[in-house]
Amino acid sequence: MTSSDLEHLARTAYEAHRGAHPTDLPAWEETTEQEQQAWKVAVHAVAAQTGTTIMERAAPVRALVIQTGDKRRTFQAEFTAGRQGNLPIDDEFASGHHCRFLVAHGQWLVEDMGSTNGTWLNGRRFHAAQRLKKGDKIKIGHTVIVVVSA
């Protein structure tokens, strides 16, 4: 398992824990190096016990290609969108970390992160993670993100 695989798995495990935890936990990027290292050690230990890496058994994930205005971006791993997200949204109605794009069971999902103005999918505000498909329109404030492929 490479260090980037380990980083990705640790981040994924942490974000799953964060999503299931009843209290607010900081995003991966906001955790300390010590906390991130602890998650990496835990993921490595689980992978070592199975005799294979978790990546070998996971379904391959297709890239998520999105377009905002005339700008197209491709993502291979989970990310956040918002004024301070991995996908920066320059919109006064967007929260710092407005929503998260994540993978579950080989499918891309979008999930609101408790934003003030909500996240909208195809004209409807949602409160639970939603599966994404080609042509979907995600609205964050006044910004529209179009799914080119998922």
Side-chain angles (χ1 to χ4, degrees), residues 15-89:
E15 291 298 344
H17 170 71
R18 183 173 170 243
H21 204 274
T23 61
D24 290 332
L25 292 173
W28 175 262
E29 296 83 9
E30 297 168 7
T31 60
T32 66
E33 272 299 316
Q34 186 177 8
E35 290 171 307
Q36 290 181 8
Q37 186 60 32
W39 279 93
K40 290 176 192 175
V41 168
V43 166
H44 188 269
V46 169
Q49 282 185 338
T50 66
T52 61
T53 68
I54 295 169
M55 293 297 279
E56 290 172 349
R57 293 182 285 134
V61 176
R62 291 176 42 131
L64 176 67
V65 181
I66 57 171
Q67 186 160 340
T68 306
D70 61 354
K71 198 177 241 184
R72 197 172 272 204
R73 301 268 312 261
T74 301
F75 292 90
Q76 301 286 342
E78 295 182 10
F79 64 98
T80 60
R83 285 180 290 124
Q84 300 166 349
N86 307 102
L87 175 63
I89 304 293

Side-chain angles (χ1 to χ4, degrees), residues 103-118:
V103 179
H105 306 290
Q107 301 290 320
W108 279 98
L109 307 170
V110 62
E111 171 182 61
D112 186 76
M113 297 177 72
S115 65
T116 302
N117 296 311

